[in-house]
């Protein structure tokens, strides 16, 4: 039996090419793409909260409820990756590999990180205020209580160090989901590859900076006690963001670059040739189009 998938080395090459695409996208497109990603992930966060709105099970079977929430949450990342939206946490891996491979300047990487972060925040806050807030999706119990309880466990109970370390574990797994989404060539393989690492990070209670952009502001919206904007910035953004950068940029991006691309300028991906810069003529044209994170543009779609 043959599997229509890329080898680990080919995936890292595709990651580098995607990082180049992302770093060279027009900033207005990056921003709106990031807004879309924030909204799409926010929908999945809302599903997690509604799944947790079961008081009896929360008291008697909390592990079961966390597992059920983790099983449904990955649809958010699937929508983001398969529509080509930009999530800053995934970009921490993609652009890091492109910079390490000397195909993207480091300052473009940092600009891309900043724009995607702000876009993700804008999209998440739009969903929290307009759709969830004024739509009163979580305005009554048991859903409002679920929002308050979830945010309290995320922000009030753990300390800065704990959130930072959970952030590392989170984006380590999220970037593996992006990695596996690149590895498969057919839609079903991509979805399966994305689903399970995402399930893992949610089931373990790790912290994702963009997911927190929905969870914590929504708690502030419903007047959760002890949850303030200052607390959110100090414990919901700073340690989570730093941990996510390390998890995606170092534990995934740098590690796989070191293992597979350190001593190689560029490699061909099946179905595509390469020129002196490691890019085919088809790929160079595709860099002018919108980025598709799941397929790395045409880099992983050479058979199409």
């Amino acid at each position: 039996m043959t599997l229509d998938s890329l080898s680990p080395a080919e995936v890292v090459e595709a990651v580098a090419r995607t990082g180049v695409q992302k770093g060279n996208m027009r900033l207005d497109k990056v921003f709106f793409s990031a807004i879309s990603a924030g909204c799409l992930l926010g929908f999945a966060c809302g599903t997690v909260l509604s799944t947790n709105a079961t008081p009896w099970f929360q008291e008697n079977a909390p592990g079961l409820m966390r597992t059920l929430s983790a099983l449904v949450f990955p649809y958010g990342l699937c929508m983001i990756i398969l529509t080509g939206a930009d999530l800053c946490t995934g970009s921490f891996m993609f652009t890091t590999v492109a910079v390490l491979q000397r195909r993207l300047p480091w300052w473009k990487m940092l600009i891309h990180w900043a724009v995607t972060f702000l876009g993700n925040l804008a999209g998440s806050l739009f969903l929290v205020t307009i759709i969830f807030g004024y739509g009163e999706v979580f305005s009554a119990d048991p859903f409002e209580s679920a929002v308050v309880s979830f945010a309290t466990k995320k922000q009030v109970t753990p300390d800065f160090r704990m959130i930072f370390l959970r952030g590392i574990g989170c984006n380590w797994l999220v970037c593996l989901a992006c990695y596996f989404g690149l590895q498969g060539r057919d839609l079903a393989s991509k979805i399966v590859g994305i689903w399970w690492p995402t399930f893992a990070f949610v089931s373990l209670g790790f912290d994702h900076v963009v997911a927190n952009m929905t969870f914590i502001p929504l708690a502030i919206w419903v007047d959760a006690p002890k949850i303030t904007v200052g607390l959110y910035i100090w414990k919901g953004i700073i340690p989570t963001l730093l941990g996510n950068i390390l998890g995606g940029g170092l534990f995934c991006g740098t590690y796989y670059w070191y293992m597979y691309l350190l001593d190689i300028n560029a490699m061909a991906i099946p179905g595509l040739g390469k020129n002196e810069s490691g890019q085919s003529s088809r790929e160079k044209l595709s860099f002018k189009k919108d980025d598709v994170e799941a397929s790395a543009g045409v880099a992983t779609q050479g058979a199409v």
Side-chain angles (χ1 to χ4, degrees), residues 18-52:
T18 305
V20 174
Q21 285 183 294
K22 288 181 175 295
N24 288 296
M25 281 178 66
R26 282 173 39 184
L27 293 183
D28 60 322
K29 288 193 172 186
V30 174
F31 183 70
F32 286 113
S33 178
I35 289 177
S36 174
C39 292
L40 295 178
L41 196 70
F43 286 125
C45 292
T47 300
V48 167
L49 293 170
S50 65
T51 304
N52 277 275

Side-chain angles (χ1 to χ4, degrees), residues 38-40 42-44 46 122-139 214 218 221:
C39 292
L40 295 178
F43 286 125
S124 300
L125 293 180
F126 170 81
L127 195 74
V128 166
T129 56
I130 305 302
I131 307 300
F132 290 162
Y134 289 117
E136 299 188 1
V137 176
F138 296 95
S139 62
T214 296
L218 185 58
W221 180 273

